[in-house]
Amino acid sequence: MPRSEAPPPPATAHFAPPRLSLRLVAVWRRNFLVWKKLALPSIVGNLADPVIYMLGLGYGLGLLVPEVEGVSYIAFLAGGTLAYSTMNAATFEALYSGFSRMHVQKTWEAIMNAPIALDDIVAAELVWAASKSCLAGVAILAVIAAFGFTASPLALAAIPVVFLTGLCFAALGLIMTALAPSYDFFMYYFTLFITPMTLLSGVFFPQGQLPDSVQTIAAALPLSHAVSLIRPLLLGQVPAHIGLHLGVLALITVLAFWLALGLTRRRLLK
Amino acid sequence: MPLEISGLVKRYGRGADAREVVRGLDLKLQRGECFALLGPNGAGKTTTLRCALGLTEASAGRIRLCGLPVPGQAREARARVGVVPQMDSLDPDFTCAENLIVFAGYFGIHEREIRPRVPELLAFAGLEGKETARIQSLSGGMKRRLTLARALVNRPELLVLDEPTTGLDPQARHLIWERLRRLTAEGTTILLTTHFMDEAERLAHRLAILDTGRILAQGSPREVIAAHIEPQVVEVFGDWTEAESAGGSGAAAWAAAHAGALSRRCEISGETAFCYTDDAAPLLAHLARQPGLRTLHRPANLEDVFLKLTGRELRD
């Protein structure tokens, strides 16, 4: 038997707090350099879908619904569109692209042979997915402004909120990536979480239209907090309960990142 | 010392399900030597490398990589190590040159510093002029060579290669061997795993044969062969029947009747008898009188030691 019997590291060691270094910038930069090669198609890809929905629903349904909460339906829809398209962009990046780099291309394994720890890689993926969703969000905001659906300088304050929204959904998405056996797994996340949340979070209609019992749950969803901040800013209003909404998004980001990191360590540091 | 491992234990699972993959392993690499870890699949080679690099935590034992404790300062230690992993992990979104430049970035090496070295690194890997080639356009051998070049961006003191030539054609294997010899000649220490005996015999100054998580033999290839096996081997195969034989035919029946008296040790594998002996002359003289049997007489090699120590059963 081997000498120096030490107890095996406890399973909880995987969930120790993150230890980050500035080397994560190099990992973020790697993803940015890849994105830069295909920046235009990437932006158009992130832009086309939400803009088509916004214009289609906004003008189409807008004929039937002349006004929502005191503004035109399309102006109401603009804020919701920016919020949910940010969610989608961050989610797709953390899920599909993250999984490709972690599992298929073994990019993370290659990086771990350099003086970069897994903690740095997962954190870089988090910030990168938020950055990419923010780049897409800024493009959508430009379209919204170009169509005249927002005219307030307060709309610029939506950009940091978009980044935080991206961080929040990237962190949630990285949990799924850490658990996924294959790409097919992500389908559950979309049909069971992302899609219902999009419908319940006040993107397309005010949450007041929901039954009372559903309203309580809906108000707690992360996307609801993002919509509650972004929509008023685009309409030139200061959002109510700013601290609460920002706090919830930040708290979800931190807790989800911690969980995602723990699960990823358990998966890769065997 | 580039790498020092003592009492390494790696256990998976806990309680009754616990499985020890590495069971008390000791290893010391001298500066400038090429050291090979040999072992069948599942022997614990890759796990040992992962522990050494701080990519997984050992259950027990002490590791120092480039003089630094692992896992405590694994990150700092890895800055002085190059790794060629078993699986292709080149970045398919980048060209050959970009792969080297981006990877150098992970070591904190600025593009200004690495870009002038790219042609030299590619030339070392036999990939002259491939700066702008896409990874998808490279053959398996070219990818492995580019991975070798990538492992050299930080001018490592220690180069770790996990089965560097598995799946390559002979031309590509010989090129990699030649480059690894050049690196050790320049003072780089090399640790490689392989299950190719000829690779270990040609490249390694010292080697260790590993099975079920333990080192079974260690030393220079010559020392290991001398210590563990008779110097001569006669392989016997073909047809054989003899009036007085109890039954059966072929090399196995011949071995059952005669090998015991004519060789020190005899192993049967399928229809071939491997006879190990200090002096093959009497055995060969006897075999010359058996017209149906064919023979191959050769000096014992590492593969014979390996099979003696790890058995002939398949490992999956």
Side-chain angles (χ1 to χ4, degrees), chain B residues 175-196:
Chain B
L175 186 125
I176 291 208
W177 290 342
E178 192 273 321
R179 294 305 196 260
L180 295 182
R181 277 200 206 98
R182 206 194 284 180
L183 285 170
T184 44
E186 289 164 5
T188 309
T189 311
I190 291 181
L191 171 62
L192 62 91
T193 74
T194 182
H195 40 224
F196 295 122

Side-chain angles (χ1 to χ4, degrees), chain B residues 12-191:
Chain B
Y12 288 108
R14 40 198 62 240
D17 297 330
R19 193 164 50 87
E20 273 189 351
V21 178
V22 180
R23 306 191 289 173
L25 185 135
D26 300 295
L27 210 58
K28 275 194 178 76
L29 261 64
Q30 306 299 327
R31 190 165 298 281
E33 77 172 336
C34 176
F35 192 99
L37 271 181
L38 282 168
N41 291 333
K45 306 187 295 289
T46 301
T47 306
T48 302
L49 294 189
R50 288 177 59 80
C51 288
L53 292 167
L55 300 177
T56 186
E57 205 164 339
S59 307
R62 192 171 153 278
I63 301 167
R64 289 185 87 82
L65 180 62
C66 296
L68 298 170
V70 171
Q73 284 179 270
R75 211 190 308 223
E76 293 81 351
R78 284 203 302 271
R80 294 152 60 184
V81 177
V83 181
V84 178
Q86 208 175 91
M87 302 277 228
D88 166 38
S89 62
L90 291 165
D91 219 317
D93 295 306
F94 293 127
T95 63
C96 292
E98 287 167 341
N99 258 283
L100 301 179
I101 293 166
V102 170
F103 202 77
Y106 302 143
F107 288 83
I109 301 170
H110 198 275
E111 190 173 338
R112 277 193 306 275
E113 215 176 314
I114 186 72
R115 191 170 279 283
R117 285 183 55 218
V118 166
E120 158 209 337
L121 284 164
L122 287 178
F124 182 82
L127 295 168
E128 292 92 342
K130 292 280 181 194
E131 275 84 352
T132 57
R134 299 194 56 81
I135 299 304
Q136 291 85 342
S137 71
L138 302 184
S139 70
M142 291 161 104
K143 284 184 187 169
R144 200 71 58 89
R145 273 140 54 198
L146 182 59
T147 307
L148 175 61
R150 187 181 73 174
L152 300 175
V153 292
N154 59 326
R155 304 183 193 274
E157 292 166 36
L158 171 67
L159 183 63
V160 176
L161 306 102
D162 196 3
E163 298 190 11
T165 63
T166 300
L168 299 190
D169 64 22
Q171 286 81 358
R173 293 177 71 192
H174 279 268
L175 186 125
I176 291 208
W177 290 342
E178 192 273 321
R179 294 305 196 260
L180 295 182
R181 277 200 206 98
R182 206 194 284 180
L183 285 170
T184 44
E186 289 164 5
T188 309
T189 311
I190 291 181
L191 171 62

Side-chain angles (χ1 to χ4, degrees), chain B residues 271-291:
Chain B
E271 284 303 305
T272 305
F274 293 82
C275 300
Y276 295 92
T277 176
D278 297 312
D279 174 15
L283 174 59
L284 290 170
H286 163 84
L287 286 165
R289 297 190 299 273
Q290 317 294 324

Side-chain angles (χ1 to χ4, degrees), chain A residues 36-55:
Chain A
K36 214 174 70 176
K37 291 190 167 204
L38 294 165
L40 195 64
S42 167
I43 291 267
V44 171
N46 286 138
L47 198 59
D49 206 52
V51 166
I52 289 167
Y53 267 89
M54 182 177 70
L55 296 178

